[in-house]
Structures are given as structure tokens and as C-alpha cells.
Amino acid sequence: MAKKWRMNKGFILLAIFVSLGLLSLYTFTLLDPVDPSGKSSNVLVRIPPRSSTDQIAAMLEQQGMIRDDRAFRLYARFHNLDNRIQAGYYLLNASMSTEEILNILVRGKTASKNFTIPEGYTLKQITESLAAKGFIREPLFKDLLVNGQFNYAFLKDLPRGDRRLEGYLFPETYNIGLDSAEKDILNVMLAGMDRQIKEIQLEEKAKAMNLTLHQAVTIASMIEREARVDKDRTLISSVIHNRLKAGMMLQIDATVEYALGGHREKIYYKDLEVDSPYNTYKFNGLPPGPIASPGRESLLAAVNPAQTKYLYYVAKPDGSHAFSETLAEHNANKNKYLK
């Protein structure tokens, strides 16, 4: 009798082990990709905030991203991942396993989009560019430019108005989440400027030259709009600083363009009479603020001018500039290059 029980017990244990093995195999099969061929297209999936693992699993199964919602839940809970899934937009694929999908959701590797702000763009150009891409609602974006609250020290003393952030949206390529709102987009560009200010110690270098940070960014913006080749940046900076020290009008064409509201292929004498504080042919000293978004090299040039006695420069056909110390030399350069 005991021998028979031992035999039955052995069969029972074997059956249990076989059943567990089959169950394990079945479960792992359910974790495999829905489409192992690797030919499936990406699908944009939104994980809403505060979604439970059960809700996420059901949604993923409904959208054909996983084989079985129960297997997804069990795997997530077994690996302590169910409370770590992050909300957002994700690009998922039916060729991904449950493990791969969970890894993406837990890492928060959300789907994103890119935009590039070229150096020298104005607020107007930045707004138009983002609106054309469908990244912003223009009226809301413009309102935030004037009234938005942003936690950056360099914004504290800026003049109020629709040009408040002119020059402070740093020009580079940004990668943002698909669900980024207008304020998020402004914040990422302001953070870009904040990083530059700190990395190149712009405020400290400006102070050493008896300039405010705002004045340094204003000078950098003029350099950005005037320079066409990198080697000219510090030389143009030297002309601006030398003229300021001498009490001369800056007479920078780019400020006239800004006062007129946009780029001009040619500046005429009548344009020089535009009644605007940004017109450096009519008003002495620096304009009230930046006229465009300066890049890193222009920011550096603004507080690191070349040591020259240059007071004038004129554009050459190749985009570079000819510099001179005297009006006579400047007139000679104009006769040579402006034909």
C-alpha cells in the first residue's frame, strides 16, 4: 500500500511539474511579439496620466501591441514595474516583446519631435516658424511671450512688453515630447539660454566690462545679425565697443532693419530716418534690447572683443567685412566694395 502511494505521489508531482512547465511555456509565449516578422509599422500610443497597469495592459492588447493583457500584468508585477510606467506618447511596434514594451514605458522614452531655431532669428520669425510646423497656437504663444511666468534669474529685470524675450530664446535644435505645450517649448529655449549664460560666465564677463547682462545680449544680437563669417564676430564687437567708448552713434544697419520690421535687401537713406529707439543711426548708444537671438559665438564675442582701434566696417561681396580706423579708410573701402 505504501509502495502504491509512493508511486501515485510520484505521478502527482510529475504531473504538477509538467503542468507548471506547460503554464510557464504558455505564459512566456504570451510575452512574445504579436508580429515576430519585424515588418510592423510603428504606432503612436498615448499612456494617460495616472493610468493603472490593468488599464494600460487592456489598451495595449486592444491596439494589437501585446498578445495578452493578463500576461503583461503578471510580468509587470513580478518584476516590480507596474507602478513605474510613465505617462506620455510612445512609438510602439507589434514586433516588440512585452519585455521591450515595458522597458520603453518604464524608461519614459517618449515619442518626440524636433525643431530648429536658426541663429539670428527674431521673436517674429521664431513664432512664425513654430506656427507653420503646427507646434504652437500662435495667439497663446504670443501671450506667453508677454505675460508668461518663467523661473530664470536673467528674466527678472527685463523690460515688459511684447519684445520682453527677444534675444533670450537660444537658437539651436531642440527635441521635445509630442505633447509639449507652448509654455514647455518656451521653457526649453529659455533653459538653452540659461545654460549658455552659465557656461560662458556671460554675466560675470559683462560686469567686468561695465555692462549689464541685457546690454551684453543686445550687443551679441547685433553681432549675430551683422556677421556672416565667424572670424568677423570679435572684430565687429570691437567696433561696437570702440564706438560706445568714443560716444559715437553705432550706425548698424541691422538695427534699422529691426526697426522697420524685417529684413531688407538694401537700406536706403530714407530708411535711416525711421523713428524708433532701435534705429542706431538716429539714437545714440545701444538700442533698448536685443534685435535677434544670438548664438554662442556671438555671445562670446560680445564680451571678448578683439583689441583693435577699428571704428568702421563695410561688407564685402564674399560676406566678410573690411575694417578701418578712420573715415577716410572707410570711404575708400566703400568705394572698393560697394559698387
Side-chain angles (χ1 to χ4, degrees):
M1 187 73 178
K3 184 176 180 182
K4 186 177 180 181
W5 162 246
R6 284 196 296 271
M7 289 178 64
N8 288 340
K9 185 179 179 183
F11 280 121
I12 291 169
L13 290 173
L14 179 61
I16 291 172
F17 283 129
V18 170
S19 298
L20 288 173
L22 290 172
L23 179 62
S24 177
L25 180 63
Y26 177 69
T27 302
F28 279 109
T29 300
L30 293 178
L31 299 175
D32 288 341
V34 173
D35 178 14
S37 71
K39 297 179 181 179
S40 295
S41 300
N42 286 336
V43 175
L44 185 64
V45 175
R46 178 177 180 262
I47 305 297
R50 296 177 295 279
S51 297
S52 68
T53 305
D54 290 1
Q55 291 170 325
I56 294 168
M59 178 187 63
L60 291 175
E61 183 181 19
Q62 185 179 20
Q63 295 189 22
M65 294 296 103
I66 60 174
R67 287 178 177 268
D68 185 82
D69 63 336
R70 290 165 297 179
F72 180 95
R73 294 197 306 268
L74 287 171
Y75 184 90
R77 285 166 188 165
F78 182 78
H79 292 278
N80 296 316
L81 301 176
D82 53 336
N83 292 320
R84 295 170 55 192
I85 296 173
Q86 301 185 44
Y89 289 86
Y90 295 88
L91 282 176
L92 302 179
N93 195 298
S95 298
M96 295 176 177
S97 68
T98 293
E99 180 183 5
E100 289 173 315
I101 290 173
L102 268 167
N103 186 44
I104 290 171
L105 300 182
V106 169
R107 286 167 56 201
K109 191 178 179 182
T110 56
S112 61
K113 55 189 177 185
N114 296 320
F115 69 91
T116 299
I117 302 302
E119 295 172 346
Y121 258 34
T122 62
L123 283 181
K124 182 174 181 288
Q125 290 173 305
I126 292 171
T127 302
E128 290 173 350
S129 174
L130 292 172
K133 290 180 172 68
F135 286 8
I136 61 167
R137 291 161 290 180
E138 195 167 333
L140 177 55
F141 189 80
K142 287 180 175 178
D143 180 68
L144 287 168
L145 290 175
V146 179
N147 301 310
Q149 299 296 311
F150 303 97
N151 189 28
Y152 298 97
F154 61 85
L155 299 179
K156 184 177 63 175
D157 299 320
L158 293 184
R160 305 294 297 178
D162 58 359
R163 291 172 172 166
R164 175 180 64 135
L165 300 186
E166 187 74 87
Y168 292 95
L169 304 183
F170 188 71
E172 64 179 346
T173 296
Y174 294 97
N175 185 274
I176 58 173
L178 286 183
D179 56 347
S180 296
E182 287 78 4
K183 190 167 185 178
D184 299 323
I185 292 173
L186 281 169
N187 256 318
V188 76
M189 289 187 281
L190 290 169
M193 186 63 168
D194 187 53
R195 185 175 68 253
Q196 297 301 321
I197 290 170
K198 290 172 180 174
E199 284 182 0
I200 65 181
Q201 298 180 302
L202 186 66
E203 191 164 12
E204 295 83 351
K205 290 177 180 177
K207 188 176 181 180
M209 302 183 73
N210 294 317
L211 296 170
T212 65
L213 177 66
H214 190 59
Q215 288 171 327
V217 176
T218 299
I219 292 171
S221 73
M222 292 188 289
I223 295 169
E224 190 63 65
R225 292 292 294 162
E226 290 283 289
R228 293 293 177 269
V229 295
D230 283 341
K231 68 181 181 65
D232 283 356
R233 295 184 196 277
T234 58
L235 296 172
I236 291 174
S237 181
S238 75
V239 171
I240 293 172
H241 284 284
N242 290 342
R243 279 181 164 255
L244 288 172
K245 289 175 185 175
M248 298 173 66
M249 285 190 174
L250 293 179
Q251 297 183 321
I252 291 177
D253 287 357
T255 65
V256 176
E257 288 185 334
Y258 187 77
L260 292 170
H263 177 66
R264 296 288 193 278
E265 290 298 326
K266 188 173 182 179
I267 299 291
Y268 296 95
Y269 283 113
K270 66 177 182 177
D271 296 328
L272 305 182
E273 295 301 316
V274 61
D275 189 19
S276 167
Y278 287 89
N279 181 1
T280 56
Y281 278 86
K282 193 167 186 177
F283 295 93
N284 210 349
L286 291 170
I291 61 171
S293 291
R296 184 183 178 92
E297 295 307 314
S298 291
L299 289 168
L300 283 166
V303 290
N304 293 283
Q307 298 303 306
T308 76
K309 294 182 180 179
Y310 293 146
L311 292 172
Y312 307 91
Y313 59 85
V314 63
K316 298 195 289 188
D318 65 358
S320 65
H321 291 82
F323 296 85
S324 51
E325 296 180 11
T326 68
L327 182 58
E329 292 172 342
H330 180 58
N331 287 332
N333 283 334
K334 286 200 294 185
N335 289 332
K336 181 177 181 180
Y337 296 113
L338 302 181
K339 295 181 180 178

